[in-house]
Amino acid sequence: WPGHAGPHRTDKLEDKEYQEYRQELLEATQVFQEEQELSDKFAELNKVYPATVRRSKTVELDMMTVDEAIDAMEAVGHDFFVFR
């Protein structure tokens, strides 16, 4: 380091910041690779078991208690009921 007495504290800070950035990048890369593997598995499953939409429906959800939802489910005769 010509003209300097040696490395400054900022060098260590910059190195620490670099190491933190590097670690974040490695973690993000690993997550991306895991997501890509899952995507590939789902694509393979979709070839074997193609998804078929039989029916779709859009509904507006009403606010209700659990007891009200149970009563409504029994009234319509379904095995499930969606509420919020």
Side-chain angles (χ1 to χ4, degrees):
W1 299 282
H4 297 282
H8 298 284
R9 291 180 117 194
T10 58
D11 293 337
K12 290 182 182 181
L13 180 61
E14 289 173 2
D15 186 51
K16 181 181 176 187
E17 289 173 351
Y18 169 75
Q19 293 301 327
E20 289 173 356
Y21 169 75
R22 185 175 181 274
Q23 184 63 33
E24 289 174 11
L25 189 59
L26 288 172
E27 290 171 1
T29 302
Q30 182 179 1
V31 168
F32 175 78
Q33 290 172 342
E34 291 170 358
E35 289 176 350
Q36 187 62 44
E37 289 172 9
L38 281 175
S39 179
D40 293 344
K41 288 179 184 178
F42 281 123
E44 189 63 33
L45 284 173
N46 282 331
K47 289 178 187 174
V48 176
Y49 304 103
T52 303
V53 176
R54 305 236 187 255
R55 185 176 102 177
S56 67
K57 186 175 185 179
T58 303
V59 295
E60 187 173 322
L61 299 178
D62 295 325
M63 300 268 303
M64 62 179 67
T65 66
V66 173
D67 290 330
E68 291 171 334
I70 291 170
D71 290 340
M73 182 177 71
E74 290 173 350
V76 294
H78 291 157
D79 295 333
F80 68 94
F81 192 78
V82 180
F83 70 101
R84 59 179 174 151

